[in-house]
Amino acid sequence: MAENFNRIMEGLGDVLEIVEGRAAPESYRVHIPEKVDVKAIRDRLKLTQAGFAERFGFSIGAVRDWEQDRRTPEKSARALLTIIDREPAAVERALGPITADT
Amino acid sequence: MAENFNRIMEGLGDVLEIVEGRAAPESYRVHIPEKVDVKAIRDRLKLTQAGFAERFGFSIGAVRDWEQDRRTPEKSARALLTIIDREPAAVERALGPITADT
DNA sequence: GACAGACTACGGCATTGCCGTATCTTTCTT
DNA sequence: AAGAAAGATACGGCAATGCCGTAGTCTGTC
């Protein structure tokens, strides 16, 4: 609920950019949140910090820094974390174990 | 073709780790390539560097550095790039424009 | 109480992110 | 063909993150 509200509010920022002419409406662009609640995502997956890191290829140090608000994950990392949160299956598919390709 | 071969060879590395007891077989883990051909991915999508950057939330500087072999994208970025390459639709869905959630 | 697992809290160096700018190269346009 | 504009390449350079190590805290278990 509250999360949806936040997403919409953030989305409004994009709309503003278009309205103000700072962005082209035809240019699709993903929206990457400024802040990501790593611990929440990890808890949902019921993994330890170490497990979470190994599972998705992060370094343990980075995960700790993120959860401790010592460092902010980079845009790419925030995007990946968001995808892990919303489309975990796709992450499996794209990066997952040695498949015979699709 | 050659790409599949590479994927399999890289996958063998993971298998080795399990065989040698350095990794637990039950712990699923994604495999993130050491090198990613950013230009190839971008060309496939027919986007300019600037377009590609805006489209997926990278900074232009990073994209340039990557394609010029000046910097190696971080693990998270390599993972994201790989997902963009293999599951672009999922990226759209997870990060894409303001949806009413799923 | 001793011990192990998970997490917090920092120190500190290597590496990347990212911005700016100058220099081609390619592709239109006149 | 000459000039303009777009797209890339090539660096300099600072700020910020990645990442490794270590010590301390908290909790549950034996």
Side-chain angles (χ1 to χ4, degrees):
Chain A
M1 277 313 178
E3 279 201 27
N4 285 340
F5 177 75
N6 289 330
R7 289 199 71 195
I8 292 174
M9 289 310 287
E10 290 181 335
L12 284 181
D14 295 345
V15 174
L16 238 186
E17 289 205 335
I18 295 175
V19 170
E20 293 179 352
R22 282 179 295 164
E26 71 277 15
S27 73
Y28 279 119
R29 25 197 306 199
V30 298
H31 178 273
I32 298 165
E34 293 297 315
K35 293 184 179 179
V36 176
D37 192 336
V38 179
K39 182 166 170 48
I41 297 175
R42 179 170 66 79
D43 284 345
R44 239 169 269 150
L45 294 171
K46 293 193 173 65
L47 292 170
T48 65
Q49 291 179 333
F52 184 72
E54 272 208 11
R55 178 76 187 65
F56 293 107
F58 298 116
S59 85
I60 299 184
V63 174
R64 289 187 306 194
D65 286 345
W66 296 337
E67 293 198 8
Q68 288 178 42
D69 270 304
R70 210 184 160 207
R71 300 264 139 81
T72 297
E74 263 163 19
K75 221 167 178 182
S76 314
R78 295 201 302 275
L80 179 54
L81 287 165
T82 303
I83 298 176
I84 288 174
D85 193 34
R86 301 199 177 128
E87 298 274 343
V91 177
E92 304 283 327
R93 246 175 293 141
L95 304 178
I98 321 107
T99 61
D101 227 37
T102 49
Chain B
M1 276 316 176
E3 280 201 26
N4 285 340
F5 177 75
N6 289 330
R7 288 198 71 196
I8 292 174
M9 290 309 288
E10 290 181 335
L12 285 180
D14 296 346
V15 174
L16 238 186
E17 288 205 335
I18 295 175
V19 170
E20 293 179 352
R22 282 179 295 165
E26 70 277 15
S27 72
Y28 279 118
R29 27 199 303 200
V30 297
H31 177 274
I32 298 164
E34 293 297 315
K35 292 184 179 179
V36 176
D37 192 337
V38 179
K39 181 165 172 48
I41 297 175
R42 178 169 67 78
D43 284 344
R44 237 168 269 150
L45 294 170
K46 293 193 173 64
L47 292 171
T48 64
Q49 291 179 333
F52 184 73
E54 272 208 12
R55 178 76 188 66
F56 294 106
F58 299 116
S59 84
I60 299 183
V63 173
R64 290 187 305 194
D65 285 346
W66 295 337
E67 293 199 9
Q68 288 178 44
D69 271 303
R70 212 186 157 204
R71 301 265 141 82
T72 298
E74 264 163 17
K75 221 167 177 181
S76 313
R78 294 201 304 275
L80 179 54
L81 286 165
T82 303
I83 298 174
I84 288 174
D85 192 33
R86 301 200 178 126
E87 297 274 342
V91 177
E92 303 284 326
R93 247 176 290 141
L95 305 177
I98 320 103
T99 61
D101 226 37
T102 48

